[in-house]
Amino acid sequence: VKSEGPKLVPFFKATCVYFVLWLPTSSPSWFSALIKCLPIFCLWVFLLAHGINFLVSHRSASRILAGLIFSAVGDAFLIWQEQGYFIHGLLMFAITHILYSSAFGMKPLDLKAGLLMGLVSSSCYAFLYSYLSGPFTYLVAVYIALIGFMGWRAVAGMQLCNDLWTWTKLSACIGAMLFMVSDLTIALNKFCFPVPYSRFIIMATYYAAQMLIALSAVESRDEEDFRKRS
């Protein structure tokens, strides 16, 4: 907390600015896009503050940074989703989930966690299916598969049952789950029925998810520091 907390202060301030201004989604503008993306920009700075050499030498951290970049582009597209840019935003976040999955890695495999996430993802799609039409029928299926895969890799990496978990792995796991809650709320609100306080739920869980996933990138640095002290 002492080492990473101060680097996150700009993120918390930018998030507060977003919720204080609460710009209407009915009148999209570049200013509203900037305010929405500002917390994600601050997470870029958070990772860059650990040094370029750190990002270059640790692929997981650089992939999470790349995921945050695509997330910001996706956020901007979703500002204009009513003007036909929803699919563009969906594509940007699909790439984000691929990058995050790659950052979390494939070890340990943990097939039980994979089966559980597969069941959750399938159940979500089964519920949404009757509300979908046109290209969204398969686009949403692919997207749910990608975010479910990302969730699996985050849960598998935590290794809670083996008592090998660390605070950064736990951070990645909780972040992935919150990301799924945020995206499921978007889907329910857009395709199924109005969700009360949907915008607040979507953005609060989204910003928390991105912060926690960004925090998970410092895992390799913690291991380095531990080895040096040893």
Side-chain angles (χ1 to χ4, degrees):
V1 172
K2 289 181 179 178
S3 61
E4 304 301 332
K7 300 186 187 77
L8 286 170
V9 169
F11 165 79
F12 288 119
K13 289 183 177 179
T15 303
C16 289
V17 168
Y18 172 82
F19 284 109
V20 168
L21 292 181
W22 204 245
L23 299 172
T25 54
S26 57
S27 54
S29 66
W30 285 108
F31 180 69
S32 59
L34 173 63
I35 295 301
K36 184 182 181 184
C37 295
L38 193 58
I40 307 303
F41 295 158
C42 291
L43 292 177
W44 297 3
V45 175
F46 166 76
L47 289 179
L48 290 170
H50 289 84
I52 299 297
N53 291 334
F54 170 72
L55 293 172
V56 171
S57 59
H58 296 92
R59 293 183 178 180
S60 60
S62 60
R63 287 168 183 171
I64 287 175
L65 176 60
L68 288 168
I69 292 172
F70 277 99
S71 293
V73 178
D75 281 332
F77 276 129
L78 292 181
I79 287 286
W80 285 277
Q81 61 178 293
E82 299 302 328
Q83 285 72 34
Y85 288 94
F86 182 80
I87 292 179
H88 299 73
L90 199 69
L91 175 61
M92 293 298 104
F93 280 108
I95 295 172
T96 294
H97 297 317
I98 293 171
L99 288 165
Y100 286 168
S101 299
S102 177
F104 298 150
M106 290 300 297
K107 295 180 180 180
L109 195 60
D110 196 346
L111 293 177
K112 290 182 180 179
L115 178 60
L116 176 61
M117 293 307 301
L119 289 173
V120 171
S121 300
S122 300
S123 299
C124 290
Y125 182 70
F127 179 82
L128 293 169
Y129 180 78
S130 61
Y131 296 94
L132 302 173
S133 60
F136 286 114
T137 303
Y138 59 85
L139 288 175
V140 171
V142 172
Y143 187 86
I144 289 178
L146 289 174
I147 195 171
F149 185 82
M150 186 270 291
W152 169 32
R153 298 322 310 148
V155 171
M158 188 171 63
Q159 301 184 73
L160 186 60
C161 295
N162 297 329
D163 200 27
L164 297 174
W165 66 278
T166 62
W167 71 268
T168 46
K169 290 177 179 177
L170 179 62
S171 175
C173 181
I174 297 174
M177 296 301 102
L178 287 175
F179 217 135
M180 294 178 73
V181 170
S182 179
D183 281 357
L184 179 59
T185 306
I186 290 175
L188 291 174
N189 192 65
K190 183 174 181 64
F191 299 114
C192 304
F193 48 79
V195 177
Y197 308 106
S198 60
R199 187 179 170 197
F200 176 81
I201 295 171
I202 290 165
M203 297 311 298
T205 53
Y206 170 69
Y207 286 141
Q210 294 283 39
M211 180 196 70
L212 290 169
I213 290 173
L215 270 172
S216 73
V218 304
E219 173 74 35
S220 39
R221 172 158 236 180
D222 288 344
E223 292 173 353
E224 279 185 354
D225 292 342
F226 178 78
R227 286 196 296 268
K228 288 177 181 177
R229 288 195 297 268
S230 302

